[in-house]
Every structure is written in C-alpha cells, then in structure tokens.
C-alpha cells in the first residue's frame, strides 16, 4: 500500500493529530465535568413540590398557593389550612434542611460551571482557532482535507455552548438569592406560628431587596408549570440544564444591548462567523453532544482524504479463494516469512512447488519465483527420470539465508517404496530467479525453475515414511518425524552423514 500523502505531509499530520488529541481530551473532560455537575445536583425541591401540589388541591377554585403566601407576606396572617400546612407538612426543620441542601448543591454546581467549564471552553476555542488557521493555510495544509466551513461550525457550536454555560450561571445566582430569601422568610414564619424562639440573626425584618426577591419567587416559581411537565411548580430550574432534553421552563428575558443592536441593524448572527447564536430551548448537555458531533465531522474529512490517497501495490493470489475451513487452516500453517539481505520474503510450499514472493527492496517492486526440485545431486538411490518434480513434505526456516526442505522421491531400486531426504536450500540464488509480479497473474502462471542444483547439506533418510520436520539454526539440529509419529530422527545438519544419530520412540 502506497501512502504518499503521509510521507510528504508527515509533519503537518503530526501537528494536526496533536491538536486533535488536545481537542478530544478537552471534550472528554467537559463530559466528565457535566457528569460531576449532575451528581452534585440534588432534587431536594421535588419533595416540597409534591407537598405544595397536594395543598393546592384543597384550595378553592381560582385561588393559588402563591396568592396565599403573598397575603401571608403582606398581612402577616394565615388561614387555618395554610397554618396547619406550614406547621405539619413543611415544618421548620424540613424547610431548614431543604434550604441548606439546596444551597450546598447549587454552590457545587456553580463551582464546576465557573471554574471548570469556563476554563475548558477557553482552551477549546484556542485549539479550534489554531486548526482553523491551519485550514486557511492552503499551501501547506490544503491537501489534508481540513475544511474551514466545518471548523467554523465547530467554533459557533462552542460559542453557543459557552452562552448556555453563562445562562446556567445566572440561573444559579438568581435561584440562590431568591430561594435563600424565601426559605429564610418561610422558616421565620413557621417558627412564629409555632410560637418557637426565632434566632437572633433572623429577627430583623426583610429589607427592600430581600422582600423583592421573595415576591419575585412567589410570582414566578410558584406559578403552575406547563402541561406535560413532571413538576407542578417552577421551583427548580437548574436540573433541566443537565439532562439530554429540551428545557421545560424557559423564562423570558429582556434582550441585551448586543441583541438589540443586531435587531436594529437587521443582521443575521448565523451569517456572521464571529457572532454566536443562543439556543434558548436546548439544555447544556444537548449542546455538548452537538459540539462533539460537529468536531467529529470536522476531523473526519481528514481521514477520508487520506484514505482516498492510498494506492494499492501489486498483489499476487497465493491461495485459491474457494477452500473449506479445514483446508484453509491446513494451508495457512505452511506460509512463512524470512528476511534475506534486507529483503522480506514470503514462502508458500505446495505439493511439489515452492512459491516465493519478495518485497521491500530498494526498487519497491514485488517479485515472484516458482521453484521445484527435479533432482538432488549426490543421491545415488534416486530415480534418474528427472521429469517429475520431487514431493515437498515440509519447508522450514533454518536461518535468514537458508531454508530446510524435506523431500520425498521414488527409489531407483524399489518402485513401490518412497524415500526421504533433508537438504538445505540457500535463498539468495533462488531470489535471483524471481521476476516482477503482476496482480492479475497467479503464481501458477510463472515458469517453474529447478533449484535442485542449489541444494547443500543433503542427508538421505531412506524409506523413513517422513511426514514433517523441525529445525533449529542456532543449534544446527534437525528433527524428522515419521508418518505415525512413532519414529524421530535427530541429526546435526552440518555434520557428515555417518555422524548422524537415530532415535526411536515407542
């Protein structure tokens, strides 16, 4: 496989991959931060929401819980039903516990949003901006498939996510102020209704700002939720930002100075790359998922571009395409590889032929050779016909320059008995016979070369009925196994034939 683009633009790809690893790590960090925010958030207000919903069913038609509490705030008087509800259902201890838990939970969520998310958004903006600058450098990075349009989409998606994070921070700040004032007021009211002592730090009346916050909380948060919402009131606004759903409670806000300026100038923020568009109904988690998808799409173009530049080198079919499972496993075990003088060589022995495929040399060309043994020099008992190749029972790698072959031939003295021999075949002279490979040409189409003249260290085994062989180049040993594995012949490959040692195992 030729990968010219990777070879020519290695440094640029390395820089781009480094930036992608930074962006990917920051996105994982953002996802982990949102998970921690979700774990820090507590739905303690759900208990109070259920109690208020139950109490609202006892009111007359047209009356509301907010009106009841507003009368209590303005006049300091409560109906007997409201008094019983505050003393028996909410209780001073329960209200204090909810207030403390809520303050702790919101403070932790705000800390994650302000310290962690804000920092990681700045880092993501820096790295994505750097990749955008690389995409605009067409002379150096243009052929890597980096698209300025897709990166601009990522940056705008990141900007929308940053705006939603700021919105969550403002919601938390507002909720903390209003809820703290409300729970402090309702706690003091319950203590007074129960004729219990009020702490000295709470005896002072609500100031104008706190009174305004309590009134705002009663009007906004104790209003009935929209149909289809899991809550009866709008007490809790933070948790909806941390789920993969649209916001159920969206408060209307006055447009900012910049939004009014865009409206007056009749400018479309989507058409301007450096203006970020808010997404009022999307949650923080939804916008993060959208950002992850946009980043993946932006960097996927580089992968597609590199894959399109891959050029396959010539291939030669070694094995038939239609073989059974048992046949495939049997053939695969015969394929081997060795390195001779820096050239990688794959060999595959068949019944009588030895196929070699050479690649990885300086010419970057694939060359093939089909070899056989028609005669073994020095074997007096072999049949001298010389027409049919000898059978190849096993081919093993002796070392990087030599193959060990186990041959089977017909004896000139006894036609009904097959004899065996072990020999060494140097790889270098065989490779010199290799021709350039063509992808459409199978190995059977190549001319078969007789390599019997290259054989050395020939050892005749006689009628041994051999079936397989194992060799060890460093130890200069060879082991030949009989067909029923009841006989094993061991000998020193480099020794003379009279020095061989034969062992039989029962």
């Amino acid at each position: 496989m030729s990968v010219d683009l990777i070879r020519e633009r290695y440094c640029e790809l390395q820089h781009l991959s480094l930036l992608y690893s930074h962006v990917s790590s920051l996105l994982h960090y953002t996802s982990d931060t949102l998970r921690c925010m979700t774990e820090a958030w507590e739905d303690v207000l759900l208990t109070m929401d259920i109690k208020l919903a139950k109490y609202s069913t006892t009111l007359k038609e047209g009356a509301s819980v907010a009106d009841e509490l507003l009368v209590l705030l303005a006049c300091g008087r409560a109906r007997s039903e409201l008094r019983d509800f505050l003393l028996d259902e909410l209780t001073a201890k329960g209200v204090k516990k909810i207030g403390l838990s809520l303050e702790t939970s919101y403070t932790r969520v705000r800390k994650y949003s302000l310290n962690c998310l804000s920092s990681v958004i700045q880092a993501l903006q820096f790295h994505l901006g750097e990749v955008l600058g690389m995409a605009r450098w067409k002379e150096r990075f243009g052929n890597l498939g980096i698209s300025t349009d897709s990166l601009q989409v990522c940056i705008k998606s990141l900007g929308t996510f940053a705006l939603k994070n700021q919105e969550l921070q403002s919601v938390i700040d507002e909720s903390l102020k209003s809820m703290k004032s409300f729970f402090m007021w309702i706690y003091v009211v319950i203590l007074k209704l129960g004729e219990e002592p009020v702490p000295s730090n709470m005896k002072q009346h609500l100031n104008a700002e706190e009174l305004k916050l309590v009134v705002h909380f009663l009007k906004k948060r104790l209003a009935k939720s929209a149909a289809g919402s899991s809550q009866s009131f709008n007490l809790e606004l933070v948790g909806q930002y941390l789920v993969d759903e649209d916001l159920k409670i969206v408060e209307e806000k006055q447009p900012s100075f910049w939004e009014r300026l865009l409206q007056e100038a009749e400018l479309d923020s989507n058409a301007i790359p450096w203006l970020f568009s808010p997404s009022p109904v999307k949650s923080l988690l939804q916008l993060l998922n959208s950002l992850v998808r946009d980043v993946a799409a932006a960097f996927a173009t580089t992968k597609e571009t590199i894959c399109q530049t891959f050029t396959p080198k010539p291939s030669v079919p070694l094995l038939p395409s239609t073989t059974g499972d048992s046949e495939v496993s049997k053939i695969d075990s015969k394929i081997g590889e060795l390195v001779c003088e820096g050239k990688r060589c794959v060999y595959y022995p068949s019944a009588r032929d030895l196929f070699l495929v050479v690649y990885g040399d300086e010419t970057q060309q694939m060359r093939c050779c089909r070899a056989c043994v028609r005669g073994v020099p020095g074997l007096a008992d072999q049949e001298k016909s010389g027409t049919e190749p000898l059978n190849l029972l096993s081919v093993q790698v002796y070392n990087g320059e030599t193959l060990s072959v186990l041959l089977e031939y017909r004896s000139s003295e006894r036609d009904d008995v097959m004899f065996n021999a072990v020999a060494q075949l140097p790889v270098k002279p065989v490779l010199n016979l290799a021709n350039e490979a063509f992808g459409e040409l199978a190995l059977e189409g190549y001319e078969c070369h007789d390599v019997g003249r290259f054989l050395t260290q020939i050892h005749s085994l006689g009628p041994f009925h051999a079936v397989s062989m194992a060799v060890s180049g460093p130890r200069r040993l060879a082991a030949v196994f009989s067909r029923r594995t009841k006989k094993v012949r061991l000998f020193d490959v480099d020794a003379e034939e009279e020095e061989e040692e034969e062992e039989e195992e029962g």
Side-chain angles (χ1 to χ4, degrees), residues 178-198:
S178 59
M179 286 188 176
K180 188 175 181 179
S181 300
F182 169 75
F183 281 110
M184 183 181 296
W185 168 71
I186 203 71
Y187 177 68
V188 173
V189 168
I190 294 175
L191 289 179
K192 290 182 178 179
L193 292 176
E195 297 181 354
E196 297 181 12
V198 179

Side-chain angles (χ1 to χ4, degrees), residues 45-56:
L45 286 176
L46 182 60
T47 303
M48 187 172 181
D49 185 273
I50 296 174
K51 293 181 179 180
L52 289 174
K54 182 179 179 181
Y55 174 70
S56 64

Side-chain angles (χ1 to χ4, degrees), residues 225-232 245 248:
S225 297
S229 175
S230 59
Q231 295 178 334
S232 301
E245 299 176 0
K248 295 182 173 59

Side-chain angles (χ1 to χ4, degrees), residues 36-63:
C36 293
M37 293 170 65
T38 305
E39 293 175 355
W41 173 75
E42 298 180 3
D43 55 349
V44 292
L45 286 176
L46 182 60
T47 303
M48 187 172 181
D49 185 273
I50 296 174
K51 293 181 179 180
L52 289 174
K54 182 179 179 181
Y55 174 70
S56 64
T57 58
T58 63
L59 299 177
K60 297 179 181 180
E61 186 177 356

